[in-house]
Structures are given as C-alpha cells and as structure tokens.
Amino acid sequence: MTEVIPAPRAVEGPMRCGVPLEADTTLWAGPGTGTTERWLRATLGAALGLPLPPGPQDARNAVRLLLDDTLEPEAYKLSVVVNRGIEIRGGSAAGVFWGAQTLRQLLGPDAFRRAPVRPGTTYGIPHQIIEDAPRFRWRGLMLDVARHFMPKDGVLRHLDLLAAHKLNVFHFHLTDDQGWRVQIKRYPKLTEVGSWRARTKFGHRASPRWEEKPHGGFYTQDDIREIVAYAAERHISVVPEIDIPGHSQAAIAAYPELGNTDVIDTTSLTVWDNWGVSKNVLAPTDNTLRFYEGVFEELLDLFPADAAPFPQFSGFVHIGGDECAKDQWKQSPTAQARIKELGLADEDALQSWFIRHFDNWLSARGRRLIGWDEILEGGLANGAAVSSWRGYQGGITAARAGHDVVMCPEQHVYLDHRQDAGVDEPVPIGYVRTLEDVYRFEPVPPQLTEAEARHVLGTQANVWTEVMEDPARVDYQMFPRLAAFAEVAWSALPAPDERDFADFEQRMTVHYRRLDALGVAYRPPGGPLPWQRRPGVLGRPIEGAPPNV
C-alpha cells in the first residue's frame, strides 16, 4: 500500500520504475479541469520549482487532466505509467482535484512547501495506478472563530489543510455570545460593538485567570467573498452559521432591542467575556425576526448557492439552534403573550416556532436550513437537515423522520476534547479522544436501516475554540486527529474493531513530515512539547470512556 492518507480504494503497484517530474514536464488540462490546472502550477509547481507549461496531450511524461463520466462524481483514477506520464481522470472537476492531492503526497514532503528547497531536483513517482472515491459526500470541519477570532489568512490556510485531506465542507461558525465576526452593512454595530470583548477568560470558565486586553476582529464582506472563492477553487463548500435564538449576547450587546427588554436592562449587556451558555437570548418578537431576515439577506449574497464548481452543499445555511436558555422567556410577559397568541404549549415550542420561521424563510429562497439537533424538537420542514452533536440519537431520530443528517457526536469528534490523560495535556477539556479513538469512529449507527442510513450525508469534526487562544493551539487540537478523521470520512474502512490502526500509524510517520513542511504545530505522538503545555490553566476533564449515545 502506498503511503497515502486518506487510504485509497485500490492501488496497483507501485513498481521500481517510474515517471519523473522535471523542468520540461508539461501539463495538459482537458475541459472542466481548470481548478486543478491552476492549483498544480500555483501550489505544486511553486513547491518543486517546476513551471509545468502547457503541452500536447500525448507528450511523453506529461501530466494530463481530464473528466471521465464513467466515474462517480468525486472519484478519480491516477495513472503513473512509464513512458506515458501521469494521468488524472475524475468523475467531476472535484474528482480531478482530489487526484491531484494524492499526486502531491506521492511526491514527498517537499511538495508541501511554498518554495523549492532542492532546486533542480528531479522528482520521480513509481509506476502505479490508484483508483479512489469517497465513502461520504459531506466530509466536514467546523471551525469556531467567534470565541477566538482567526484572521483571514489563517482561515485560508485551514482551507488548504482541508483540501490536502480531501475534506470538502467548511462549517464557518461566525457568531456567538463572545463575538460577531461577519460584517452586515445594514447593521454596522454588529461589528463595531459586537466583534470585540473587553477581556477573555484564560482556560475553562472555572479558571481564575483572565487575559486583560480586548479581543476580537471580524471579516469584511470582501473578506468573506475571498474566503468563499478560495474554497470554491479547492472544491470546498462553505456553510455559514449565524446562531439563533441562543448564543446571541454579542448581537444583543450591539442592538439591545433584540433582547428581552421586559426582563433585564439589555443596554447594560456587553459582549460576553466568559465561556458557557449565556442566559441572554433573543426576544421572540417581530422586530427580531425582521432584523435577522435582514442579516440573512446579506449573508445569502455573500455565500451564493452556486459558489463552488461542485456546489453540492453551498446552499446550506446553519442557524445554530442549540442551548437556548429559556429562563428569560419564562419571565417575559412579551414571550408569554407570544406563546398564547400562537397557541403553543411552552417555551420549547416557542423556540421551535422561531426555528421554523427561518426554515420556511430560507426554503422560500431556495436554501436549506441545517442546525444542531435541538432543532428537531417541534418538527422541521421537509428540506431541513440536522447536525447531530449531542450523540447519535438526534441523527437517528432525524434520519428516521426523513431528514438528512451530518454526524458529529461530541463524544467522538469534538477536537477540543483532550488527546491524552497525561498531566501535561494543555487545558484538558472533555473525554480523552486519542488518534486511535478518532480512527475507530463510525459515523453511521447500526440502528439505522439501509434506507434510513442513506440520509446520513456524512460526518464532520468540530473545533470549538474557547481554550484555543492562538493558531498554534488550534493546530495542536486538530492534528494529527484530523488526518484520522479524514480517513474515516473518505475511505471505505471495515468495522471499527477491524480497522488496521497499525497500518494507519505507519502511514502517519510519513504524513508527519508533510505536516512539518506545512508548518502545522501538531501534537507529537510522544506527547506535547514544552511550549505546547499550559501548566496550571484549569480545564474540564471528564473521566472514563464517553457514552455511545
């Protein structure tokens, strides 16, 4: 088996003889393969110092790209044939691009740098044929930039890391109690006020430590357009998340009329500087509905449904919908009057009404709502989908009701959870989820029938950044576990207990060198390096094995 991650379906070879990539290697790109053609010259060519000029299709030792409608949409066939060159066939432009990611891995760690470290070197690839296709359509990563802001260049870097692992959905968590990160021109205070907090809790909310300086930032609308276009060139769909009706204190701090003004003085609220679940939630008023309709109108323009050349998920909009505290609604005469007016049973039903309003609003505009599994409570429109985070059960319920599901159970693929039980593990949160644990994660629960399982669009790893104060901490929590997750999402693996983790570990010894070349500050197999530790900073470790619920 070749040292590729995620593991391909079938490999013929490799053999000793091979095909060289050198200064006179040409690149022929058939119709519809322009994204890969541009990427090969701009990224692979730059790394190896190869111009890859255009050349004829039948040139000896050329690189050839072409579409092949006999293949599945994201499938590819990579042929490295002596005296014939390198050919990548894809069932779509995305398939060709994923084949190019495999080609890059075959060329070695030098191919993951931004400039050549061995100019003039001829890079040879052994004769082989790789046929490959993904198991799941949705192979995602959720990145929380609300708790700790990540500047635009960092987001673009993570899109490159997703592409290198054949992940194709970027769930962009843009708002929360601790910050609003996207410019909305009709509501300028969302970023003028809502994007900055005065200070930040350092560690878990039980920690006594604070970073006593303002923290924040936001993406302009042109920043967002750039991120979406950059992702599209890499065949990644971007799914934005605007949290409603909970996790909204930053918005209420900017526009106090959005909150429950008959319960508390919302003008006194600031962007939250602590972690956890804020009690300050949106008021269920017509004014709030119109305000967020205005937000979503601008958002739909920034995240067009046809954003990617293979835009299977670009029409989704995530509305959060989780962890909405009902305390203020129970005390609010306005909220209680709304419950009575609508003939609802209680505050939980009021939240469902709120979600269904935007479900219908988005559907009327040709979009699809997706939200955390709490949105199931009260029923959903036919086209809505569910991110199952509290375990498998929400996904099982949704699939049985005919709704599409993305499996991302907290107990298995929340990458903010700690990687080891050792005392040096920085700011330990949640259950221990080792590299092997993630590798043995199974997205489709056995309780589903074959027909129900077809509603599982795929799976997603989530990265919540409360205790990740800088990009190096994000790297540490994500890697190397994201490589294991990518193989789970892409490859046709056997049942969890039958998976060959030893083989994966062996391939990871090569992959660590690729991550080194990319500058990824991953957790080493032997444990955190001295500068990766955070001695004395309180976390929230949970002992024992996580429940399989």
Side-chain angles (χ1 to χ4, degrees):
M1 173 65 72
T2 191
E3 307 289 354
V4 172
I5 291 178
R9 283 190 180 180
V11 179
E12 181 185 317
M15 302 179 185
R16 287 182 179 274
C17 52
V19 174
L21 259 69
E22 46 201 353
D24 59 356
T25 298
T26 58
L27 173 60
W28 179 86
T33 65
T35 52
T36 302
E37 178 187 16
R38 290 188 289 274
W39 182 87
L40 282 171
R41 289 202 178 99
T43 303
L44 198 61
L48 302 180
L50 301 177
L52 298 176
Q57 183 177 1
D58 60 355
R60 179 178 174 178
N61 290 344
V63 177
R64 294 182 293 279
L65 312 175
L66 64 158
L67 300 182
D68 184 341
D69 60 11
T70 68
L71 299 174
E72 299 169 45
E74 288 189 276
Y76 68 88
K77 181 177 181 180
L78 170 60
S79 302
V80 182
V81 180
V82 176
N83 295 325
R84 290 187 57 191
I86 299 168
E87 180 178 277
I88 304 175
R89 291 176 174 266
S92 66
V96 177
F97 185 73
W98 305 133
Q101 300 307 310
T102 296
L103 173 64
R104 186 190 199 186
Q105 291 197 21
L106 297 179
L107 286 162
D110 286 0
F112 289 79
R113 298 190 177 274
R114 296 190 181 185
V117 292
R118 275 167 274 278
T121 298
T122 296
Y123 290 87
I125 304 177
H127 176 107
Q128 59 194 295
I129 297 174
I130 298 176
E131 297 186 63
D132 202 5
R135 178 187 179 191
F136 291 109
R137 291 179 289 157
W138 184 300
R139 308 178 302 279
L141 174 80
M142 189 287 302
L143 181 63
D144 166 26
V145 296
R147 273 50 176 270
H148 277 101
F149 178 65
M150 179 174 288
K152 180 194 68 180
D153 284 353
V155 174
L156 299 180
R157 172 179 175 265
H158 279 281
L159 290 171
D160 282 330
L161 291 171
L162 264 63
H165 292 83
K166 300 186 176 75
L167 298 174
N168 68 343
V169 177
F170 179 59
H171 175 172
F172 206 6
H173 184 80
L174 288 164
T175 72
D176 218 295
D177 298 309
Q178 296 86 359
W180 184 285
R181 304 294 178 220
V182 56
Q183 178 189 32
I184 303 296
K185 291 184 176 180
R186 74 185 71 183
Y187 304 128
K189 290 182 182 177
L190 286 173
T191 46
E192 290 172 1
V193 174
S195 70
W196 290 91
R197 59 180 180 260
R199 63 176 186 168
T200 298
K201 174 71 72 170
F202 191 55
H204 182 254
R205 57 183 177 270
S207 169
R209 298 190 180 191
W210 295 88
E211 187 178 38
E212 297 285 353
K213 68 178 182 180
H215 175 86
F218 67 92
Y219 309 103
T220 68
Q221 294 201 350
D222 281 347
D223 289 339
I224 294 292
R225 292 187 180 98
E226 180 183 357
I227 288 167
V228 171
Y230 195 86
E233 279 283 301
R234 287 146 184 80
H235 298 273
I236 296 170
S237 297
V238 183
V239 175
E241 180 180 352
I242 302 293
D243 239 320
I244 56 174
H247 288 288
S248 299
Q249 184 166 325
I252 298 168
Y255 290 91
E257 65 270 23
L258 296 174
N260 295 285
T261 57
D262 54 351
V263 176
I264 64 164
D265 177 12
T266 55
T267 62
S268 67
L269 294 178
T270 60
V271 178
W272 208 22
D273 58 11
N274 212 330
W275 313 128
V277 179
S278 171
K279 302 293 186 183
N280 296 300
V281 303
L282 298 175
T285 64
D286 289 342
N287 175 66
T288 300
L289 298 181
R290 300 294 89 77
F291 183 96
Y292 274 87
E293 286 170 3
V295 169
F296 283 119
E297 281 177 6
E298 291 195 27
L299 203 75
L300 297 192
D301 179 62
L302 297 176
F303 296 90
D306 58 351
F310 189 61
Q312 55 179 331
F313 300 121
S314 295
F316 277 99
V317 176
H318 207 292
I319 51 77
D322 63 316
E323 298 180 324
C324 179
K326 308 299 193 305
D327 307 59
Q328 292 180 358
W329 287 356
K330 290 177 180 178
Q331 302 170 38
S332 164
T334 301
Q336 293 302 311
R338 194 94 209 203
I339 290 172
K340 184 176 181 181
E341 170 199 340
L342 296 169
L344 302 175
D346 54 22
E347 292 77 19
D348 290 337
L350 184 62
Q351 179 177 350
S352 297
W353 165 81
F354 200 105
I355 298 299
R356 285 186 67 88
H357 174 86
F358 286 99
D359 190 351
N360 295 328
W361 190 91
L362 289 166
S363 295
R365 288 153 182 80
R367 297 305 190 93
R368 291 186 67 185
L369 178 145
I370 185 169
W372 304 111
D373 53 60
E374 286 95 328
I375 68 171
L376 284 165
E377 299 158 5
L380 289 176
N382 289 337
V386 170
S387 302
S388 188
W389 77 274
R390 291 182 293 180
Y392 287 108
Q393 191 55 54
I396 292 169
T397 301
R400 287 176 173 167
H403 292 288
D404 288 339
V405 178
V406 176
M407 286 292 188
C408 50
E410 173 186 17
Q411 303 88 347
H412 301 280
V413 289
Y414 269 34
L415 299 186
D416 48 309
H417 283 210
R418 56 191 173 137
Q419 303 181 64
D420 189 86
V423 295
D424 288 332
E425 208 62 33
V427 199
I429 298 295
Y431 296 102
V432 172
R433 292 287 85 192
T434 65
L435 183 66
E436 182 172 0
D437 290 330
V438 174
Y439 190 68
R440 297 193 189 280
F441 164 61
E442 173 49 49
V444 180
Q447 297 95 318
L448 295 180
T449 66
E450 184 177 343
E452 292 165 348
R454 284 196 284 271
H455 283 291
V456 179
L457 296 174
T459 183
Q460 175 176 294
N462 294 338
V463 180
W464 300 103
T465 62
E466 287 96 331
V467 299
M468 300 180 209
E469 73 279 3
D470 57 41
R473 282 285 290 122
V474 177
D475 276 10
Y476 180 92
Q477 292 299 134
M478 283 176 60
F479 290 97
R481 293 183 296 180
L482 193 69
F485 173 80
E487 185 146 313
V488 169
W490 176 278
S491 304
L493 298 176
D497 290 344
E498 300 170 10
R499 292 176 188 172
D500 191 347
F501 181 68
D503 171 74
F504 177 76
E505 273 193 308
Q506 181 181 347
R507 286 181 285 124
M508 276 302 300
T509 61
V510 177
H511 200 64
Y512 285 123
R513 294 167 57 206
R514 299 172 188 140
L515 296 177
D516 287 334
L518 287 166
V520 176
Y522 58 85
R523 181 188 188 276
L529 299 167
W531 53 87
Q532 293 174 321
R533 301 166 188 163
R534 297 290 185 277
V537 181
L538 288 179
R540 184 183 60 88
I542 304 175
E543 301 304 328
N548 198 29
V549 295

